[in-house]
Structures are given as C-alpha cells and as structure tokens.
Amino acid sequence: MINLPAPIAAYFTADLKDGDAVARCFTDTAVVKDEGQTYTGREAIQAWKIDVSARYSYVSEPRAIAVEGDRTVVTSRLTGNFPGSPVDLRFLFLLDGDRIAALEITP
C-alpha cells in the first residue's frame, strides 16, 4: 500500500461510494478531465461520477505515486466490466489545501 496525501486518499475511498462522496473531495470550482470530457464544479463532478458508476463496475487500486511539477500523479490499476480491463491509469491531481482543485485521468 502506498502513502497517499489525505485529499487523494479521500478521493479513492469516496470512489468506492457514490457521486456525493466524490464531489465533496473537490473545491467548488474544481475541474475533472476524463475520457475526453471536462467537468467543472462539484455538481458536474457529482454527475460524472454517477454516470461512470452506472456504466461500469470497477475497483481502483493505487500502485505508485510521483510528483510532476505542481501535480501529484497516482498510477492506479482499474479492474472491472469495461473494455480493456484491467488497465493502469494515471490520475493527475492538483491539490488546494485539503481539497482537489483539478483531476485529469489519462492512460
């Protein structure tokens, strides 16, 4: 198990729950980029998580952490009922205090 900063650990824990829990990990004006789409603000982030959870059942297991400039990069293994499973994805987090200001998910 890797040692994640508290806001990032909270995100991966919330990801096991629901859209409300995930949205609470972010600042009011946070931005998420995933699968070619951009979601701005907690309400849009909540809707994104609800949609992803409705389409896919998956488990995300953080495996590595690095710092690239002002971003914390977590490589996580996702396993589930989606095309290409399992896959390692990079989660690029920009933190603002105890919340996430931006997240980009890339292959």
Side-chain angles (χ1 to χ4, degrees):
M1 187 71 178
I2 61 174
N3 188 19
L4 299 173
I8 295 173
Y11 168 82
F12 282 106
T13 298
D15 192 43
L16 298 170
K17 298 176 184 172
D18 59 33
D20 290 333
V22 168
R24 285 192 298 271
C25 296
F26 290 85
T27 64
D28 291 338
T29 58
V31 175
V32 170
K33 293 181 180 181
D34 183 37
E35 297 183 307
Q37 301 293 317
T38 301
Y39 309 91
T40 304
R42 281 190 180 156
E43 189 174 301
I45 291 168
Q46 178 185 17
W48 160 72
K49 172 56 182 165
I50 290 169
D51 177 60
V52 168
S53 294
R55 289 188 291 142
Y56 307 118
S57 176
Y58 65 92
V59 175
S60 182
E61 179 188 347
R63 295 193 164 202
I65 187 169
V67 175
E68 294 180 5
D70 59 355
R71 300 200 182 251
T72 302
V73 180
V74 176
T75 301
S76 189
R77 167 72 46 103
L78 270 71
T79 306
N81 68 342
F82 55 88
S85 175
V87 64
D88 288 339
L89 294 179
R90 289 170 34 101
F91 291 72
L92 292 84
F93 293 92
L94 177 62
L95 302 180
D96 182 2
D98 64 350
R99 299 265 188 258
I100 300 164
L103 169 60
E104 183 175 359
I105 303 171
T106 64

